[in-house]
Structures are given as structure tokens and as C-alpha cells.
Amino acid sequence: MTTEHVGGGADPAKILRLLWRAGEDEVKPGPRPKFTLDDVIVAGIAVADREGLPGLTMRAVADELGVGTMSLYRYVPGKGELVDLMVDKLNSPGNFSGWQRGEWRAAMEDLAEGTWLLATEHPWLLQVNQSRPLLGPSAMEGVELILGAFEGLGLKDREKVAILAAVGQFVSGCAREAVLAQESAAQTGVSDEEFWKAQEPYMIRAIGEGRFPTLGTLDDDAWSTPPVEIMRMGLKALLDGFELGMRKRGTA
């Protein structure tokens, strides 16, 4: 599913300068820019949301802004760097629900909901390999804020980061499955109802023959839990486990 990775541009130094807006105040020769770099980033996000990463081209972004393609290169060197900027913008802290420093569980729940929302509203994010992230200002601000939730708990720094990573990876995995399910229907033209309806006669016959006794006892709505509720159920179990460990050590 991965088609891009952060830091995919030709020159890491260039994208880092853009991420941190280094030299932004420098006076550059030529006509005054018609747009800001943020305008280009927002346009890129709009194109990716609509067309997916394969449809994210410099020409498509230029069309979104109503300018010629070559004019974009005054703002960003290429698609790789633009993707990095888009990811950093979406990784900003956003609107947190008002938890205080030290309220680690509320912060992790907030992080989970935000990660889920980002992945399902911007499915292309799941196609970007962020395992080796470029830490721009937005991403670092988010990490700084969320790590403050562990203040006063007596956890080791490695434990704080591990909990943060575990929650993020768990929710991203759940979101990936939800997005893939949606894409299956769109890409094949076969709805979920049609897909399962085709299998129904075979499943009914096999269960009726007694080959799958446990499956035969399941309620009719056993498979109908919404994906977001499955994520929340798993998240609760994950956080319960972390909390139990902290209590045993006297840190929660």
C-alpha cells in the first residue's frame, strides 16, 4: 500500500529548510510570489484527498491553484518535498480535548481519535512510509505536547516513547483495515452486501452440516461492529494494560 516515503526528495537539506521555513524572510529576485508556501501545501492536500497519491502531480497542484506548473518550482523542488510538507502540516497538534499535563490516558485517547480521523479523512497518508520521519515544526510540536501527558508518572523516557508509538501504530493499523475495506468496494464495483451475499449459500450449507459449530452459534449482528468501535475497544485494552503495569510499580 506504501507508494511514497518521507524524505523522498533528492536533497534532504532543501526539504529541511522548507519545513523550518529557513530563509523565508529573504528577499528573492523576480516578481512577488502570488501564493505562499502554505497555499501550495493546502492545494496539495486537496488534490491528494480527491485523487490519491497517484494523482498528486505538480501539474495537478498547479491546476488547483490556477497557475502554470513551472511556477510551483519557485515554492517547492518537487513532489517528494511537497509530500513531506503535507505530512508535517497534517501532523500538527490540532484541537486537543483539554487534558492536563500528567493526564496520560486522556491524552492517549485524544491521540488515538486524532490519528483515526486523519487516516480516514486523508487515506493517502497511509500510503506514506513515515517509519523514518522528518521532524518538522508541526510534528515536533505535537510530540512535545503529547509527551507532557506523562509528566510526574515516574516513567523512563523510553517507556513514554514506547507507549506513544504503540498507540499510534495500533490505531494506524486499525485505520488501514477500515480504509482498505472502503477501497475494495470502490475498486471492484462490488458492494459489501453483494460480496457477502455471494458467499452466503456456501456458508449456510457448511454451518448446517455441523462443520463449524462455533460459527453456527454466533448472533446475526456479530460481524456488524463499526471499525471505529473495534479500534476503541482495542485501545481500551491496550491502555488498561499500560495502566495496570504503572499501578504495580506505583507510578499511576
Side-chain angles (χ1 to χ4, degrees):
M1 191 175 183
T2 300
T3 60
E4 296 285 343
H5 60 90
V6 294
D11 186 349
K14 287 184 178 180
I15 184 56
L16 287 168
R17 282 179 59 83
L18 286 170
L19 281 170
W20 289 96
R21 304 299 194 268
E24 195 172 58
D25 296 330
E26 294 176 3
V27 178
K28 299 178 181 178
R32 185 174 182 176
K34 186 176 181 181
F35 302 103
T36 66
L37 179 58
D38 280 335
D39 291 332
V40 177
I41 296 169
V42 170
I45 292 172
V47 171
D49 287 348
R50 188 173 61 245
E51 308 292 341
L53 278 184
L56 179 68
T57 63
M58 296 297 277
R59 180 173 182 176
V61 177
D63 289 345
E64 185 77 13
L65 291 167
V67 298
T69 304
M70 293 306 297
S71 66
L72 285 190
Y73 292 99
R74 183 171 184 177
Y75 301 88
V76 62
K79 177 179 175 178
E81 292 83 1
L82 179 56
V83 169
D84 289 337
L85 291 164
M86 290 159 57
V87 169
D88 183 69
K89 185 173 185 65
L90 291 178
N91 280 337
S92 62
N95 297 315
F96 286 95
S97 61
W99 47 268
Q100 303 297 315
R101 293 180 75 85
E103 295 179 348
W104 73 275
R105 184 155 185 149
M108 293 302 100
E109 291 169 350
D110 212 27
L111 172 65
E113 294 291 335
T115 301
W116 177 271
L117 193 61
L118 269 184
T120 52
E121 288 190 347
H122 308 283
W124 57 269
L125 273 173
L126 295 172
Q127 295 178 269
V128 181
N129 183 344
Q130 299 184 54
S131 60
R132 191 172 64 175
L134 280 172
L135 295 177
S138 294
M140 286 192 69
E141 184 181 353
V143 175
E144 169 72 19
L145 186 60
I146 207 79
L147 284 177
F150 296 104
E151 189 176 274
L153 295 180
L155 295 175
K156 296 178 181 178
D157 290 341
R158 289 180 61 183
E159 293 173 320
K160 300 174 187 177
V161 174
I163 292 173
L164 178 62
V167 171
Q169 291 169 15
F170 168 73
V171 178
S172 293
C174 291
R176 185 182 299 272
E177 289 301 310
V179 168
L180 286 174
Q182 293 175 346
E183 290 181 349
S184 293
Q187 291 171 355
T188 63
V190 179
S191 68
D192 282 350
E193 184 179 355
E194 293 170 328
F195 180 79
W196 292 110
K197 192 71 175 178
Q199 299 185 68
E200 191 174 277
Y202 299 93
M203 293 188 292
I204 291 175
R205 184 184 308 153
I207 290 173
E209 292 172 351
R211 295 172 59 185
F212 305 102
T214 302
L215 285 171
T217 63
L218 293 180
D219 294 333
D220 292 340
D221 65 348
W223 304 96
S224 62
T225 305
V228 68
E229 294 302 325
I230 294 174
M231 181 275 289
R232 289 169 180 161
M233 184 183 300
L235 176 69
K236 182 180 183 304
L238 186 63
L239 298 183
D240 284 348
F242 288 138
E243 187 167 6
L244 179 61
M246 292 180 197
R247 285 179 177 173
K248 286 182 176 179
R249 292 168 46 183
T251 58

